[in-house]
Amino acid sequence: MGVDSGGTFTDVVTDDGRVLKVPSTPDDPGRAVRDGVRAGRAAGDTGRPSLLAHGTTVATNTLLEGRGARVALVTTAGFADVIEIARQDRPDLYDPWADRPVPPVARGDRLEVIERLDATGEVLVPYAPGLAPLPPEGCEAVAVCLLHSDLNPDHEYAVAEELRAAGWDVSASYEISPEFREYERTVTTVLNASLRPVCAPYLEGLREVADEVVVTTSAGGLVGLAEAAVRPVSLLLSGPAAGVRAAAAVAMVCGFPDAVTFDMGGTSTDVGLVLDGAPASAPGHVVAGYPVRSPSLELHTIGAGGGSVARLDAGGALLVGPESAGARPGPACYGHGGRLPTVTDANLVLGRIPAGVPFPGLGVLDVEAARRALDESGVDAAGVVAVVDAQMEQALRTVSVERGIDPSGLALVAFGGAGPLHACDLAAALGIPAVVVPPAAGALSAVGLLTSPPRRELVRSWPVPTDHAGLDEALAQLADRALAQLGDDVDPAGAVVATFADCRYRGQSHEVTVGSVEEFAAEHWRRNGFRRDGEQVEVVAVRAVATGAAPADVAEVLGRATPFGGPVVGPDVVVRDDCTVWVPAGWTGTPGPLGSLILRPSGPGGAS
């Protein structure tokens, strides 16, 4: 089974193509997972699944809600304020009131040790064993991040082991984020330390749900419970990353190797870019304003979902989100006591969600309650949809137009419970010629969990950027280590290992990840529109990615799901148990591969 925990629903997909949704339980997310597993059993089956692939929001919600553990930071003498000084870039260039995130470690919880390495990892001031400072009373975990330990972890290892021997839960940067850039490495290590006391017990509580439980990381790969508990900072994009992987596979089978993925759920919308059948990847991402230097798929997330609340601000302008009605009470039309108008209520009043149709776990939606919530708040249903569409259009432009990608050469893969309701309007606004709605669209992230591969990515800083001697040998050694970390359960003969280098021109502050130094100039030109032939190329980090075979194949799982039926001519609504598809006037839908529905504008250049 694949089980994806969302803000409103927890989605379940089995390897035989069955799809179901159960209400999420924010007070105890594991309860919804267990409910979903029980509901997903075949009739008469009282056993447990052999494999549970899980996408969790526990790490993300813990960070967003500020519920992480109090952390003590141990760092090199003189560098305790790196985490507060941060970078000089402003959150919003033209907003003088914009605030930076609060430093994740209070000043009194930052401790220093006397030791020092130089920029190549050579020892300047040795560390004297036994001098690791003990954290203040009230701290629950420790983050150790010493200067330049990404190049030489010896001092950091010694400090971390002393603290562990004293009984502390320690996250060390050489284990969590061994990459250069002190601020980002420190923040990532601190967040991991903060998340671990919350996430580890949650993950441990799922151990008995299935014979084997694996979790999807932000990079869209499966890891075991033990590794997920040690590195919860790698889980911040867990479910959305799996959805992008599944959407990329569906788009490829449907004949669209280049696509944008559009996942609109109850609380948020996640969009990503797919080129040549592969989701774009990134060395890190930003969550709640904090830079997380951990491998991930390149996703852009906004607080816009079916449960996003609409309201008027002090100046009378209509705003939608990021506040969400969540699972409880949910939108007003759910009948669970919600009184605030949401995007789902607006879609119901507009007829995009048909009244009188029962939905699993919800029954028939209450259109009068939706209309009353909108009227009492003084907002218009069409206005709510227009505002949320504008927000999502901007998100799609961020991952396409702002990267120099012409949307007219892409398909839009729409999924999530609410994605197919808005997809055609967004495609029309961007000039995207086709919308692909996969079967099981409302639970496609759960499909992606079940069809993601086991994956390990290792990264190390390169000590002298202009000296490439020994680079091939270092990459080969890193590849062997990545392959070994896949574990005994993965057949080495079926594993794939790839190596990369993070390169830049001298003087640049950002790098491009390429397969080899020789590929850098061409990739830099493709991304940025220029190249500097003859200019020194620097290597700042090396990477190795090992992947094994996924538990299930996308085509097999979706091939067993209920396919979309015959042609659809807009305006029309297609109601499914897991999602609703709105086909506007001027659009036509036809069945596609894997049982998908492919929507195109009617008329010249579109579907006939």
Side-chain angles (χ1 to χ4, degrees), residues 81 133 140 150 187 190 229 251 271 321 337 344 366 385 410 443 450 563 574 590:
D81 291 330
E140 302 171 69
D150 54 309
V187 168
V190 167
V271 298
T344 296
D366 188 342
V385 171
L410 305 173
L450 197 58
V574 180
T590 56

Side-chain angles (χ1 to χ4, degrees), residues 54 214-224 234-235 238 241-242 245 297 449 452-456 547:
H54 181 39
V214 291
V215 186
T216 300
T217 67
S218 300
L222 299 176
V223 299
S234 69
L235 309 179
S238 179
R245 281 204 177 277
L297 296 187
L449 296 168
S452 292
R455 186 183 188 276
R456 301 294 184 276
T547 56

Side-chain angles (χ1 to χ4, degrees), residues 1-2 8 20 37 39 70 106 157 367 369 398 406 445 468 476 482 497 579 605:
M1 291 183 184
T8 305
L20 63 146
V37 169
R70 178 180 167 188
Y157 174 82
V367 66
T398 298
D406 183 359
S445 289
H468 302 168
V497 185
C579 72

Side-chain angles (χ1 to χ4, degrees), residues 220-303:
L222 299 176
V223 299
L225 278 182
E227 182 168 346
V230 169
R231 294 181 177 83
V233 77
S234 69
L235 309 179
L236 289 168
L237 298 178
S238 179
V244 172
R245 281 204 177 277
V250 171
M252 192 70 177
V253 173
C254 290
F256 301 105
D258 299 334
V260 280
T261 63
F262 170 54
D263 176 9
M264 183 180 180
T267 305
S268 62
T269 292
D270 303 290
V271 298
L273 179 65
V274 176
L275 297 177
D276 297 325
S281 60
H285 52 285
V286 176
V287 180
Y290 298 112
V292 178
R293 195 72 175 173
S294 178
S296 68
L297 296 187
E298 193 169 311
L299 287 166
H300 184 66
T301 302
I302 61 172

Side-chain angles (χ1 to χ4, degrees), residues 19-85:
V19 177
L20 63 146
K21 289 175 171 284
V22 298
S24 293
T25 50
D27 60 313
D28 176 13
R31 187 168 76 250
V33 174
R34 292 185 285 272
D35 291 345
V37 169
R38 283 192 294 269
R41 294 172 181 157
D45 183 4
T46 59
R48 62 183 188 178
S50 59
L51 177 75
L52 174 70
H54 181 39
T56 175
T57 55
V58 170
T60 308
N61 291 340
T62 298
L63 177 56
L64 293 176
E65 296 168 11
R67 294 187 290 104
R70 178 180 167 188
V71 175
L73 170 63
V74 178
T75 188
T76 302
F79 289 84
D81 291 330
V82 164
I83 198 166
E84 186 162 354
I85 295 170

